[in-house]
Amino acid sequence: MSASKNHRTQVVLGVLVGGWLALILAGCSLAADVTPPPDAQSFLAAQPTPTGEALPLVPPDPRQGETIYREKCAPCHGEQGMGDGPQAAQLPVPVPALADPKRAREANPVAWFRMVTEGNIERYMPGFRSLSERQRWDVVAYVLSLSLSSSSLKRGAEVYAQNCQSCHGPEGRGNGPQAVALSTKISDWRSEPGILAGYSLRDMFARIQNGTTTGMPAFGETLSEADIWAAAEYVRYLSFASDSVAPAPTKADTPTVSGTPESVVIPTPLTTPPSSVALLTVKGQVNNATLGTPLSDVEVHLLAFDGMSTVFERSTRTDSEGRFIFTDVEVQPSRILLATVKYQGLSFESQAYHVQDQDLAAPDRPIDLSVAVYETTTDPTVLQAERMHVFLDILNQERLQVVELLLYTNAGDRVLVAAQPGDPVFTVALPTGAENLQFQDGLLGERYVETSNGFGDTEPVYPGMNNQLLFAYELPLTRQVSLAIPVPMSVEAVVVMAPQEGVTLSGPRLQAMGTRQVQGMTLQVYTASALEAGSTLNLTLGLRQTFPWRLNLTTGSGLILGLTVFILVAVGLGWWYWRQTRLTRQPEPVEVETDDATAILDAIIALDDLYRAGELPEEAYRTRREELKARLRALKSREG
């Protein structure tokens, strides 16, 4: 894949699936989501009281949710939602079969929506706030639809037509012929889908069986349990905006029943109204951020995405002031718009714009997709790592695996590129004797190239973008291993983890932070700070005489459970450590008046926490964070 195409793909993926890790790391997020599942207990959390902000505003569409599910969820949860995806066996927690009818009967849609939104770090479930609220509801609807069989829906339609339709109406709109004679207004499930979002199928079963205090009769004496469950499933279906969970019906104004499931007509689901599509104006300006000048007469491409599919592409050129404009751009909620420019062989993009319902309500307000381009540099000192995670894993009696995760940015105002085509953009040295080098997102000879003492990365590094480098290698294991891990760039903070049982770990710059339980493993946690580029992180790993060789944390799964679990464990422990450090030292959470590097770093972490918790506006967060980082860089410069 070319550098420009790969950069564009990262931008789109970042918007679609930035999710949990982007929130955890704030200013140093990973490039894309990893998608391990929760266990059954976490996914079947106690049913919450619905809140207005969590409820769907329009009927969720399983057809739209299917696209996201297959991309992000199926690798673990399986194509049919039975917990048998290809990556499920690599995870240390059981993958719940979400489509299991027994589990689906207990599922509260609001609880599942919140799980998709927030995730659960202890159960390796990421959140997906990068998806719009509507997309998250679509995914939940698709997962709920997996347990709805055609035969059960047909039987449910029969039961509904015979017992419910006279009041609730053929499509659940509360407009049945007997509704007008009732003293209580019957809810419109199609126009207000949030009404049913707070109920599990078991909740609806109980209401059908026992009736309600608002006048709905009880059907427990006249309907079998099977028929009540079928009716509850059919009512759930009525709250969806898709016909993807039932056979295509013959169109009719009302359902007809002749006694056989095949003769039941299922109402045509609610579809997106015409008002959900609008023509808007997209404008912007292309500026050379390095030189501070506009870029005239350059071609600008406007791309539109629905999910991962390109809907259309248009192009125009900038005027003498670097301005561009696209008129009559067709948009709809959840569509992603992106402007791209090629400059000096590199691709530059605007911030991806996620169309929301409010954009359609203000068609006269243009969408700004301005693009910043940069000059290039070959000086790798512009790279700075905010975090470095090191995990030491005992594979067997002869092999030690070292997993490293670097979270870094280009702090300069130029794109870091290779000096010559094919050369690495920056290099990483490995300890002497390192073997079996593996990467999360590439291979030697492709993105990564071998060097005399390690490897190099050939991907350009753009200013301001958050990047990750995740790799692992093996070393010979003896009773005592002395490690000198090269530091490829300046690192603000290091978190080192190793198993506790039978292992000792020490180093001249390490500070012990106690232990942490993660999925049955007790891990020792150590930290270090302010490592300079070209320095080494010196560690001594010792094995006690009673070392339990059964430990083998990877259990033969290769690169630390596909490297997915390591990301979650490393980031989770790193976050936990910094919270512990802050509680112990009790610094001011954001304001810091001293010139102590540790206090400034703690303030940055506290600022990240406030932003993640939604207690700080993004603009204020970014501004204050840059101020603190500038103070930290200035302090290091003075000390150097």
Side-chain angles (χ1 to χ4, degrees), residues 523-571:
L523 299 178
Q524 304 177 67
V525 183
Y526 295 82
T527 65
S529 61
L531 273 65
E532 298 297 328
S535 65
T536 57
L537 176 64
N538 295 304
L539 307 172
T540 300
L541 179 74
L543 303 183
R544 301 189 182 100
Q545 293 294 325
T546 58
F547 182 79
W549 291 111
R550 67 182 184 279
L551 188 62
N552 190 7
L553 300 182
T554 57
T555 60
S557 62
L559 185 53
I560 192 67
L561 303 177
L563 291 176
T564 297
V565 173
F566 171 73
I567 295 178
L568 295 171
V569 172
V571 174

Side-chain angles (χ1 to χ4, degrees), residues 35 40 86 177 271 319 413 456 500:
T35 320
T271 57
D319 63 15
D413 61 357
Q500 179 191 38

Side-chain angles (χ1 to χ4, degrees), residues 4 52 57 75 85 119 187 341 359 421 431 459 473 489 494 500 512 590 596 607 609:
S4 62
L57 300 177
S187 300
V341 173
D359 294 314
E459 289 288 337
Y473 50 88
M489 60 190 72
V494 180
Q500 179 191 38
V590 177
D596 178 69
L607 200 69
D609 287 349

Side-chain angles (χ1 to χ4, degrees), residues 460-521:
V461 185
Y462 290 76
M465 290 191 66
N466 301 306
N467 306 276
Q468 71 169 22
L469 177 59
L470 181 58
F471 59 97
Y473 50 88
E474 296 176 14
L475 293 167
L477 180 65
T478 59
R479 282 291 176 182
Q480 181 168 298
V481 180
S482 295
L483 287 171
I485 299 177
V487 179
M489 60 190 72
S490 64
V491 177
E492 292 184 7
V494 180
V495 177
V496 182
M497 292 157 284
Q500 179 191 38
E501 190 175 2
V503 174
T504 62
L505 186 64
S506 61
R509 303 190 65 169
L510 290 187
Q511 178 181 358
M513 292 303 301
T515 61
R516 173 71 168 166
Q517 285 284 336
V518 179
Q519 293 301 313
M521 298 183 293

Side-chain angles (χ1 to χ4, degrees), residues 187-232:
S187 300
D188 182 346
W189 299 327
R190 305 302 293 278
S191 298
E192 300 178 75
I195 294 174
L196 295 180
Y199 296 103
S200 66
L201 288 178
R202 183 169 296 281
D203 293 332
M204 290 191 278
F205 177 96
R207 293 171 74 88
I208 297 171
Q209 183 182 52
N210 303 320
T212 69
T213 57
T214 57
M216 177 176 166
F219 291 92
E221 298 295 327
T222 57
L223 295 176
S224 67
E225 286 194 7
D227 282 350
I228 296 176
W229 281 120

Side-chain angles (χ1 to χ4, degrees), residues 56-60 156 160 163-175 185-199 204 207-208 212 216 231-241 267 270:
L57 300 177
V58 297
Y160 181 89
N163 300 276
C164 314
Q165 180 177 306
S166 60
C167 291
H168 289 284
E171 294 184 339
R173 295 185 178 277
N175 59 351
K185 184 180 182 299
I186 299 181
S187 300
D188 182 346
W189 299 327
R190 305 302 293 278
S191 298
E192 300 178 75
I195 294 174
L196 295 180
Y199 296 103
M204 290 191 278
R207 293 171 74 88
I208 297 171
T212 69
M216 177 176 166
E233 291 181 3
Y234 184 71
V235 170
R236 169 74 73 217
Y237 164 76
L238 287 177
S239 68
F240 294 157
L270 186 67

Side-chain angles (χ1 to χ4, degrees), residues 56-68:
L57 300 177
V58 297
D61 190 345
R63 290 172 300 187
Q64 298 297 326
E66 180 180 9
T67 302
I68 302 171

